Amino acid sequence: MMCAAAGLRLWLALVVASLARESHADDGQVSSARWRLVGRGASSDWKVSRIKFRALDASWVEQQAGSMPGATPCGELISSVPWVRDAGGQLADGSAFAGPTLVAPEGGRMPSVAFEDTDEAWSPGVPCLAADDTCFLGFRWFGTRASTEAQATVSRLTRFEASPRCLEVEQSATSGEFAPNVLVQYWSDASKSWLTHTEFSGLSGGSVTLRLPRVPGR
């Protein structure tokens, strides 16, 4: 009985710690190892050529700007170099992921192209509905940069949780190939589900900076 009680206390402590870590730091930032964008309303095919994550500008005193989302400053780039199969010797921060997975990427392009400086774009190959999470593109951080040799990962991986304050997103500017509505979501270990941080609407395609507002403490 004592072992069961101790186990329950440990589990509750882990859940509480996870909730605090994920969502409500003193500066109102959310931390998670997995972040993604959900695209809605691309009537033809959602095409994304670049996603960059940026941290809060450390030199900026947030209290001076209040809680206005538009005043949120973008700071240093959060490295998100993706692991790519058969790229021996690379240093990767994590892995890119996307959906739906029922169709082959256009031209064999993998989700990783959206996190690299290339001329290619990732797309799901299907329309993205205006009211569900079918189309998504995201990044999962390993923790330490992993050096790969052929198929073997030779660096020990640890956990890292990113706290982005801004996302720089480049979509197609062609009608039907960009999502006018984009949700920024993060994975919650506590609830074992994706939670929406902020929903952006009225986007017109091309390059845009999505500024995440503070999350008030619960």
Side-chain angles (χ1 to χ4, degrees):
M1 182 67 70
M2 293 180 63
C3 291
L8 178 59
R9 287 195 297 271
L10 176 59
W11 179 81
L12 289 173
L14 290 173
V15 170
V16 171
S18 180
L19 284 169
R21 183 177 64 247
E22 286 169 358
S23 53
H24 307 295
D26 292 339
D27 56 8
Q29 296 189 87
V30 174
S31 297
S32 178
R34 282 183 276 179
W35 289 81
R36 73 176 187 178
L37 299 182
V38 173
R40 294 179 176 177
S43 59
S44 176
D45 188 12
W46 186 30
K47 294 189 176 181
V48 182
S49 56
R50 197 68 170 94
I51 296 177
K52 294 181 180 180
F53 301 89
R54 290 191 178 276
L56 176 68
D57 185 351
S59 65
W60 184 74
V61 181
E62 189 164 0
Q63 289 77 4
Q64 294 180 355
S67 59
M68 296 174 57
T72 300
C74 303
E76 294 183 353
L77 189 68
I78 301 175
S79 185
S80 56
V81 177
W83 179 85
V84 180
R85 185 183 299 275
D86 297 329
Q90 72 167 346
L91 289 175
D93 297 302
S95 60
F97 60 90
T101 57
L102 300 178
V103 294
E106 179 182 352
R109 295 171 188 158
M110 303 304 292
S112 58
V113 300
F115 300 93
E116 301 175 297
D117 292 323
T118 70
D119 295 328
E120 297 183 325
W122 170 85
S123 65
V126 296
C128 300
L129 302 179
D132 64 22
D133 295 353
T134 299
C135 299
F136 59 86
L137 177 61
F139 195 84
R140 177 179 181 175
W141 279 266
F142 291 149
T144 55
R145 304 195 82 187
S147 176
T148 60
E149 294 295 341
Q151 299 295 328
T153 300
V154 298
S155 174
R156 183 178 180 181
L157 304 184
T158 60
R159 182 178 177 82
F160 171 78
E161 295 185 337
S163 302
R165 205 52 179 271
C166 302
L167 286 83
E168 297 174 1
V169 182
E170 186 171 350
Q171 306 184 81
S172 170
T174 302
S175 179
E177 295 183 350
F178 65 83
N181 300 322
V182 172
L183 283 68
V184 178
Q185 298 183 334
Y186 62 95
W187 178 259
S188 167
D189 286 334
S191 65
K192 304 298 181 185
S193 64
W194 289 100
L195 302 181
T196 297
H197 185 294
T198 307
E199 180 175 358
F200 298 87
S201 59
L203 303 182
S204 58
S207 299
V208 64
T209 298
L210 306 178
R211 303 174 186 272
L212 303 182
R214 296 181 61 188
V215 175
R218 291 177 181 173

